[in-house]
Amino acid sequence: MSLETISENRSCGGVQGVYRHASDATGTDMTFGLYLPPAAQRGPVPVLWYLSGLTCNHENAMTKAGAQEHAARAGLALIFPDTSPRGEGVADDDAFDLGQGAGFYVNATEAPWAPHFRMWDYITSDLPKLVLDNFPLQAEAQGITGHSMGGHGALTMAMRLPDQFRSVSAFAPIANPTESDWGQKQFGAYLGQGREAWRAHDASLLMAEQGYPGEVLIDQGSEDQFLDLLKPETLAAAMARRRQPSVMRMQRGYDHSYFFVNSFIGDHVDWHAERLKAKG
């Protein structure tokens, strides 16, 4: 796959790049951000994937989360993928929570989404192959995190692919999408009305059925305006029943915004760095 450099900027002693490539998974051009810390000048480094939420693209967390400073200190690379395929000929919807900007990190099987909305394959296979071939990253030391829709993606990918994602955390994840309007609508559109296919993309159900072999870190704002859609209590109950090693923090006074993510991103970067360096 060819790789086009859109921009590269010095940041915290490292380099924040933005790149474009033709994706085999989505059949479209895709854009992503990648931060390489100063340590990458000396050799391959562990990598943390950050999956963004509804309406976002690669730029939101890259410019608002303030993660580069923490990643530079920890010697960790950061990857900021887009949240969906985009462009002419890609299906879309007038609603903000379906279509472009709302891929939900699944492989769509239903028309008109199936030809391009294959974000599960894009994040777990297509983009990893590209970045591991072109940048100094440790394939055996990958962690994953995300916010809201991206937290949903991070948790489900880590639980289903624990050998690939050796550490996991989430900010305000959509924790029980099969029982939420943020999930039922999108899964019905992308995966069809057969609810059995939805189960593989519900963090609470996956936690109850199989859990995660490592530890899980989750931060949730107590004043999040979308708490009824996110359903963190369902995931917390599943972790408690399973006795999953985890840290789940209800952060008093914080909402769903990037001010919340920015406030705790340093803790998450350190969480992943500790675990990935032990395994890398």
Side-chain angles (χ1 to χ4, degrees), residues 30-31 51-58 81-86 99-105 117 119 149:
M30 298 290 290
T31 301
L51 306 186
S52 290
L54 288 166
T55 76
C56 293
N57 59 26
H58 70 280
D82 204 343
T83 56
S84 78
R86 301 178 190 270
Q100 296 187 35
F104 258 76
Y105 304 103
F117 279 73
M119 291 302 293
M149 179 183 73

Side-chain angles (χ1 to χ4, degrees), residues 175 227-228 230-238 248:
L227 275 173
D228 289 344
L230 302 173
K231 300 187 179 297
E233 67 281 357
T234 307
L235 179 59
M248 188 168 186

Side-chain angles (χ1 to χ4, degrees), residues 16 57-68 80 258 262:
Q16 177 61 66
N57 59 26
H58 70 280
E59 291 185 328
N60 295 77
M62 187 181 80
T63 59
K64 295 179 180 180
Q68 289 87 348
F80 305 100
Y258 262 96
N262 181 279

Side-chain angles (χ1 to χ4, degrees), residues 24-59:
D24 290 337
T26 67
T28 66
D29 286 347
M30 298 290 290
T31 301
F32 66 95
L34 186 148
Y35 176 72
L36 289 176
Q41 300 172 25
R42 301 187 295 273
V45 295
V47 57
L48 176 60
W49 293 80
Y50 183 102
L51 306 186
S52 290
L54 288 166
T55 76
C56 293
N57 59 26
H58 70 280
E59 291 185 328

